[in-house]
């Protein structure tokens, strides 16, 4: 991949075939790299930063994993990171500029999900745009999102089951502006949204659903008149972390806000291996990601509960749904696979290797049998050899049709 990036000119796009690539990628300004899909295209950082950012560059369609420091390190640059799965890194994304972070699944990293800090190279507070991400079960001693002396937009994210804060904000010497809207901030180990030290900060926080966070839902921040605190009714959420309140002081909480910036430099300065670095930070071993599904159940109070302004409207034209799957550009991963067997009439197809929580469209190779007609509730059989694309969601009991959204290819 790096050879292709080095050979590319500004404005060009590099398409990367499915597979696993063990390398560390340095993006080039105004060059895009697009994987064949996060489910099939992986960049393994081998214990170092997986992707280094560049201004105007973009990376999409990959799983970024095994980053000894960050999945994406964009400390003084402003790339776009979208449609990626970032997991099993020390931090998901670290930036101190104006990165666009959209429609990613950032899950089970041992440190922060997203950390925005300060850089002397930029000379002003960072202002990332963080939209429509799932930020889940990141570090036992870290937040889902930390804005350390940084501003930005935090819109339509689902931030659940992270170790400390869901969203953690700290002021710096310069004025900053932060907008936090339409987010689901739930089941985190400390506070849901922490606005500690809000002097010199212009903040807009409203239309969020902040619920069931271990210490409290808000700290030094008003929720806004249109925010709520109800169970959002996720389909299959991850487990909430154990609260550490009994052993954690306010001083510890303040230090937590700055610790990630130190982590970024420590390993390089000390020349530690990844294993030695994690041992020094006393981090727990990484464990496999459990199955999850953060779509909202049909009775969720967070459907049509976001900001009603036109630029937040859902794709179907309805009022904004809170969380990563709401708004005009929701989180969408398209999975292409072939489940194991055709069903008998009235039965669900064998989902094969699809994990619980998978959501379509899914490509099913069908023949012209009556069984397939039963699956599709069709009045005519497909032509042999054609592919049917069916909108489904994999549940505990197999695959269930969702709306019978069917098209022929």
């Amino acid at each position: 991949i790096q050879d292709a990036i080095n050979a590319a000119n500004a404005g060009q796009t590099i398409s990367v075939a499915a597979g696993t690539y063990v390398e560390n990628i340095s993006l080039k300004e105004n060059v895009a790299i697009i994987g064949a899909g996060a489910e099939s295209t992986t960049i393994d950082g081998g214990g170092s930063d997986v992707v280094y950012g560049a201004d105007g560059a973009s990376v999409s369609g990959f799983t970024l994993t095994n980053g000894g420091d960050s999945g994406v390190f964009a400390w003084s640059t402003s790339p776009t990171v979208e449609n990626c799965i970032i997991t099993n890194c020390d931090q998901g994304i670290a930036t101190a500029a104006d990165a666009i972070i959209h429609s990613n699944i950032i899950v089970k990293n041992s440190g922060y999900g997203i950390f925005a800090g300060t850089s002397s190279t930029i000379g002003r507070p960072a202002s990332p745009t963080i939209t429509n991400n799932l930020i889940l079960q990141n570090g036992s001693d870290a937040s889902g999102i930390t804005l350390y002396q940084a501003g930005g937009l935090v819109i339509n994210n689902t931030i659940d089951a992270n170790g400390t804060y869901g969203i953690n904000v700290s002021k710096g010497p310069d004025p900053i502006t932060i907008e936090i809207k339409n987010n689901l901030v739930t089941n985190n180990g400390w506070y849901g949204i922490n606005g500690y030290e809000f002097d010199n900060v212009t903040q807009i926080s409203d239309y969020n659903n902040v619920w069931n966070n271990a210490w409290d839902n808000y700290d030094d921040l008003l929720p806004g008149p249109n925010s709520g605190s109800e169970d959002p009714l996720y389909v299959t959420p991850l487990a909430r972390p154990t609260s550490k309140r009994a052993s954690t002081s306010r001083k510890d909480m303040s230090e937590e806000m700055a610790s990630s910036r130190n982590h970024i430099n420590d390993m390089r300065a000390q020349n530690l291996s990844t294993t030695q670095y994690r041992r020094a930070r006393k981090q727990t071993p990484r464990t496999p990601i459990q199955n999850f599904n953060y779509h909202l159940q049909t009775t969720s109070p967070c459907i049509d509960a976001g900001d009603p302004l036109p630029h937040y409207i859902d794709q179907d034209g309805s009022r904004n749904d809170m969380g990563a799957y709401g708004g005009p550009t929701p989180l969408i991963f398209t999975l292409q696979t072939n489940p194991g067997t055709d069903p008998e009439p009235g039965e669900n197809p064998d989902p094969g290797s699809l994990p619980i929580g998978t959501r379509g469209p899914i490509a099913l190779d069908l023949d012209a049998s009556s069984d397939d007609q039963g699956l599709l509730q069709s009045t005519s059989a497909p032509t042999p050899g054609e592919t049917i694309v069916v909108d489904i969601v994999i549940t505990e009991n197999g695959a269930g049709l969702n709306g019978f959204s069917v098209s022929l290819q």
Side-chain angles (χ1 to χ4, degrees):
I1 299 174
Q2 190 63 55
D3 289 343
I5 293 172
N6 294 342
N9 297 317
Q12 291 187 315
T13 297
I14 299 166
S15 297
V16 180
T20 297
Y21 302 82
V22 182
E23 48 182 313
N24 310 101
I25 304 302
S26 294
L27 301 179
K28 180 183 283 189
E29 287 191 13
N30 300 310
V31 172
I33 64 168
I34 302 176
E39 306 81 13
S40 62
T41 316
T42 297
I43 305 178
D44 183 327
S48 298
D49 293 306
V50 185
V51 175
Y52 292 87
D55 288 334
S58 66
V59 56
S60 65
F62 293 92
T63 288
L64 309 177
T65 190
N66 196 19
D69 194 356
S70 301
V72 178
F73 185 78
W75 201 240
S76 299
T77 60
S78 300
T80 296
V81 183
E82 60 184 348
N83 301 325
C84 289
I85 297 171
I86 304 175
T87 187
N88 280 334
C89 299
D90 281 357
Q91 295 182 110
I93 299 174
T95 182
D98 302 336
I100 297 172
I101 303 168
H102 174 69
S103 194
N104 303 284
I105 298 176
I106 303 171
V107 58
K108 205 74 176 181
N109 297 285
S110 54
Y112 296 79
I114 298 172
F115 182 88
T118 58
S119 169
S120 58
T121 304
I122 300 298
R124 59 172 175 77
S127 186
T129 299
I130 303 170
T131 55
N132 293 97
N133 301 282
L134 287 182
I135 304 170
L136 312 172
Q137 214 173 62
N138 294 288
S140 61
D141 61 350
S143 305
I145 298 174
T146 286
L147 303 176
Y148 181 73
Q149 302 180 4
L153 299 176
V154 182
I155 309 292
N156 268 110
N157 300 280
T158 298
I159 306 164
D160 184 73
N162 298 284
T164 59
Y165 306 100
I167 301 172
N168 184 25
V169 180
S170 176
K171 77 173 184 70
D174 300 311
I176 58 175
T177 299
I178 301 168
E179 184 173 347
I180 303 171
K181 277 188 176 181
N182 303 335
N183 299 284
L184 299 175
V185 186
T186 54
N187 299 311
N188 296 287
W190 290 6
Y191 291 100
I193 303 179
N194 173 50
Y196 183 47
E197 298 181 347
F198 254 91
D199 297 336
N200 216 23
V201 173
T202 299
Q203 51 91 11
I204 302 168
S205 177
D206 204 3
Y207 292 100
N208 301 294
N209 188 68
V210 185
W211 176 79
N212 201 40
N213 298 281
W215 292 11
D216 205 345
N217 291 322
Y218 294 90
D219 185 35
D220 291 346
L221 175 67
L222 295 175
N226 301 290
S227 292
S229 183
E230 298 181 77
D231 185 348
L233 298 179
Y234 304 126
V235 174
T236 311
L238 294 168
R240 188 175 79 174
T242 302
S243 172
K244 299 179 288 184
R245 183 164 196 164
S247 61
T248 306
S249 67
R250 187 74 171 190
K251 179 174 180 290
D252 294 327
M253 294 159 59
S254 180
E255 290 173 348
E256 186 266 358
M257 292 185 285
S259 63
S260 184
R261 187 172 59 174
N262 297 329
H263 297 162
I264 290 169
N265 299 316
D266 281 351
M267 188 166 69
R268 297 187 180 96
Q270 299 176 44
N271 196 29
L272 296 176
S273 70
T274 302
T275 300
Q276 291 169 326
Y277 184 58
R278 291 176 187 148
R279 185 178 300 123
R281 288 178 61 191
K282 299 179 181 179
Q283 291 182 341
T284 56
R286 292 168 176 162
T287 57
I289 301 170
Q290 299 169 344
N291 293 319
F292 58 83
N293 183 346
Y294 278 84
H295 285 85
L296 300 176
Q297 298 179 38
T298 57
T299 56
S300 169
C302 301
I303 293 175
D304 295 338
D307 193 321
L309 289 176
H311 57 280
Y312 294 120
I313 286 175
D314 289 345
Q315 280 190 327
D316 63 4
S318 64
R319 180 173 169 173
N320 181 279
D321 294 344
M322 293 177 173
Y325 295 100
T329 55
L331 173 69
I332 296 176
F333 276 103
T334 299
L335 307 176
Q336 296 294 325
T337 189
N338 182 14
T341 60
D342 286 344
E344 294 298 320
E347 291 182 354
N348 289 322
D350 174 7
S353 61
L354 294 178
I356 295 169
T358 296
R359 193 175 181 93
I362 303 295
L364 303 176
D365 290 332
L366 304 173
D367 56 32
S369 71
S370 60
D371 292 357
D372 295 325
Q373 292 184 56
L375 167 67
L376 299 174
Q377 294 193 353
S378 172
T379 58
S380 62
T383 302
E386 284 189 305
T387 298
I388 303 297
V389 178
V390 186
D391 181 17
I392 67 173
V393 57
I394 302 302
T395 65
E396 295 283 356
N397 297 316
L401 292 177
N402 178 21
F404 304 102
S405 175
V406 178
S407 63
L408 292 177
Q409 291 184 338

